[in-house]
Amino acid sequence: MSVLERSRLRALAIKTESTSGTDAIAGTPAAGDWVDAEFSISPDMVITPDPSFTGSLDNRAGIVGGARFTIAGVRVPLRGSGAAGTVPEWFRVLEASSMVLTATASAVGAPTAATAGTTTTATLAAPFAATANLYRFMPVTLSGNPATPRTTLITDYTAGRVATFSRTFATLTTSTLAIIPINNLLRLTDTETDFKTLTVYAYQGGQLYIGTYCIAVNPRIELVAGQPGFLIFDILGVMADASPAETALPAGAATVSRPTPPIWRGGEAQIGRAEARAQRATFTLGTTGILAPAPEAANGFDGGHVMARGLRAEIQLMTNSTASAARVALMRAGTDTLFSAIIGSTAGNRLGIIFSPGRIVGQPTSSVDGADADTVVLEPSQAGGSFGICSF
């Protein structure tokens, strides 16, 4: 018997494909495949106008071709997995949008004393490795000096073990102790062999839509002061031949337990190593992709391929008579700056986001609750290397 379907009974499962185009879920999604998200999906067929003569003012019906798998506006709360070292389920989305994962399964340092320091750097000692960029964009907790432990992000790391931080401290010394916690880090990549594709199962309205060889396009991360963050993205891939099929929503979709998303408060919000009185921050990867043509494939194309990025950040800051003018001076001089954010305080449910180095290319003004605000627009000054996000 047909029944009215409820939009609340909608769920999304996503799994990384070991072989692009081969269904990685192959049946009922496992617990780790579910991604908490809101979304909607509709059949997306390639329609070609039929120019044939009809003897009428009306055209012939369009010719239906291959079936694309597209989902627009998927919205996922930013949260950790709840266990340090376990990768959040939404990280796989960014891996399918030109980012690559580095897992640090054990903490580095015990903590370990620095051998020297400045207000923004510390020279670390073994067991920290003498490998340039190894810990770049990872979190680090400093204690001893500062007396109150402070977690920040590493913006640069040299072969001489000099770590540069995303915030300014009182001068760091040999009393400074450093430890890098267990973390999972996503960085940008331009290496084709790093690119991932996804199998996506979308349950909606009593039907199951299956997409393979999927990529995530135009992902962006949105943060608002005092609120949780969100990842918003679109999906592009190939619709399976059997989609959509009448399928009951698996019971396992409602049994996955995850921690409450952390709130952007009490963590870090730094622009140019100074406190950012930010109302909101948006990081846009601007990833674009295509379905590569393949006439021998069932739909006439073989799947999604990432083609380009348009990385930028927009940070809405309360106007300050000194800081606003200083940022305009940085923009005019073409001087590098950075923005960093840390959300959450519980191990396994903390996130660090960094845009470094970047250049200010705009600072339009607006109003927030009657107060003036500047929206600082950052674009990367290091192609392929100015953005990272970590869970720890």
Side-chain angles (χ1 to χ4, degrees):
M1 180 182 70
S2 297
V3 297
L4 186 67
E5 299 294 347
R6 275 77 175 174
S7 61
R8 293 287 299 173
L9 302 180
R10 182 182 298 169
L12 193 67
I14 298 176
K15 188 171 184 177
T16 302
E17 294 175 344
S18 55
T19 301
S20 291
T22 300
D23 187 338
I25 295 177
T28 301
D33 298 336
W34 298 107
V35 174
D36 289 336
E38 62 180 7
F39 69 96
S40 61
I41 184 172
S42 300
D44 184 15
M45 308 296 180
V46 178
I47 307 296
T48 303
D50 187 342
S52 302
F53 176 72
T54 65
S56 168
L57 296 179
D58 298 323
N59 294 325
R60 287 190 181 273
I63 303 167
V64 179
R68 293 176 293 226
F69 185 88
T70 60
I71 306 180
V74 184
R75 192 166 184 258
V76 180
L78 293 184
R79 70 179 103 210
S81 64
T86 300
V87 181
E89 80 282 356
W90 49 271
F91 265 38
R92 69 195 68 158
V93 171
L94 295 176
E95 287 186 277
S97 193
S98 75
M99 299 195 80
V100 64
L101 179 69
T102 299
T104 300
S106 300
V108 183
T112 302
T115 61
T118 68
T119 57
T120 58
T121 69
T123 303
L124 306 181
F128 292 94
T131 304
N133 292 324
L134 181 62
Y135 307 120
R136 186 170 181 241
F137 295 166
M138 290 187 187
V140 61
T141 300
L142 304 178
S143 60
N145 172 27
T148 301
R150 164 66 74 172
T151 299
T152 189
L153 301 175
I154 297 173
T155 64
D156 189 53
Y157 186 80
T158 72
R161 296 192 175 100
V162 177
T164 303
F165 307 119
S166 58
R167 66 184 305 120
T168 300
F169 297 87
T171 301
L172 302 173
T173 67
T174 54
S175 297
T176 299
L177 305 176
I179 183 170
I180 292 176
I182 295 169
N183 70 88
N184 291 289
L185 171 65
L186 286 171
R187 295 187 181 104
L188 300 175
T189 181
D190 294 321
T191 303
E192 187 79 26
T193 54
D194 289 335
F195 293 173
K196 307 289 187 184
T197 58
L198 307 168
T199 292
V200 180
Y201 278 33
Y203 295 85
Q204 176 177 288
Q207 296 188 328
L208 169 61
Y209 295 82
I210 297 176
T212 59
Y213 219 137
C214 296
I215 59 172
V217 293
N218 198 34
R220 65 186 184 277
I221 291 171
E222 295 183 352
L223 307 180
V224 178
Q227 298 182 29
F230 289 89
L231 170 66
I232 299 100
F233 59 95
D234 303 330
I235 291 174
L236 175 65
V238 179
M239 186 86 76
D241 289 342
S243 295
E246 187 171 346
T247 307
L249 178 63
T255 61
V256 179
S257 178
R258 296 191 176 93
T260 301
I263 306 300
W264 196 22
R265 62 181 181 187
E268 179 164 297
Q270 293 275 306
I271 186 162
R273 296 188 177 86
E275 181 182 358
R277 300 183 65 83
Q279 167 69 13
R280 64 177 60 244
T282 302
F283 305 88
T284 302
L285 262 67
T287 312
T288 60
I290 64 168
L291 293 177
E296 291 193 4
N299 284 286
F301 31 75
D302 68 357
H305 296 264
V306 172
M307 301 304 295
R309 273 192 310 263
L311 180 66
R312 64 190 280 135
E314 296 183 8
I315 306 102
Q316 189 179 55
L317 302 162
M318 307 316 294
T319 301
N320 177 286
S321 59
T322 302
S324 297
R327 289 192 295 267
V328 171
L330 289 176
M331 177 169 58
R332 297 184 68 175
T335 303
D336 286 349
T337 189
L338 64 90
F339 182 82
S340 63
I342 293 178
I343 313 166
S345 58
T346 304
N349 198 25
R350 298 176 292 185
L351 301 168
I353 303 171
I354 188 163
F355 195 111
S356 173
R359 298 230 176 119
I360 301 174
V361 296
Q363 187 172 277
T365 60
S366 58
S367 179
V368 178
D369 297 328
D372 288 339
D374 305 322
T375 298
V376 175
V377 181
L378 291 176
E379 292 185 350
S381 53
Q382 183 181 89
S386 284
F387 181 70
I389 180 168
C390 62
S391 68
F392 60 104

